[in-house]
Amino acid sequence: SDLGVFDAFAANYRWKGSGVWNASRLLAMKRPDILLCVDSKNRAGIAKAFGVSASSLQTFEGYWDLMQRIWRCPWNRAPRPRRALDRRVWDARVALLDSVYCDASA
């Protein structure tokens, strides 16, 4: 299952001492269509937008909960567009939330 794969990935990063921001960046680079990088610059905005606490996004469990919320959003479940430019945006739709909620002053 997806949760089992995610748990195995998270366990590896806990062992190495890396945090959610580092792990989520790698995940978002691999799958920008379904995964998001969460870091200190976007954490507060994303938390507010998706109704979770910013501190929960510093845990792998909180990150997984956020992903579940994002995947249920109607805009995320929409079919892939036909036009080339629209498809490029759709193919990175979740990772693009980073730029939407980034606070450069944070």
Side-chain angles (χ1 to χ4, degrees), residues 5 17 27 45 61 69 97 100:
V5 171
L27 292 168
E61 294 79 11
R69 289 169 187 254
L97 291 172
V100 171

Side-chain angles (χ1 to χ4, degrees), residues 28-89:
M29 287 171 57
K30 183 69 174 169
R31 291 297 308 264
D33 57 327
I34 62 170
L35 297 164
L36 167 68
C37 172
V38 176
D39 59 25
S40 62
K41 304 275 187 202
N42 66 15
R43 188 178 304 118
I46 289 170
K48 183 176 180 182
F50 289 95
V52 298
S53 71
S55 63
S56 74
L57 298 180
Q58 293 180 290
T59 69
F60 287 99
E61 294 79 11
Y63 178 80
W64 185 253
D65 178 59
L66 172 67
M67 292 297 93
Q68 298 293 315
R69 289 169 187 254
I70 289 171
W71 297 336
R72 286 191 298 264
C73 290
W75 57 264
N76 188 56
R77 300 171 61 88
R80 190 170 190 248
R82 293 188 177 161
R83 292 184 355 176
L85 178 59
D86 295 340
R87 279 195 316 266
R88 287 182 63 201
V89 171

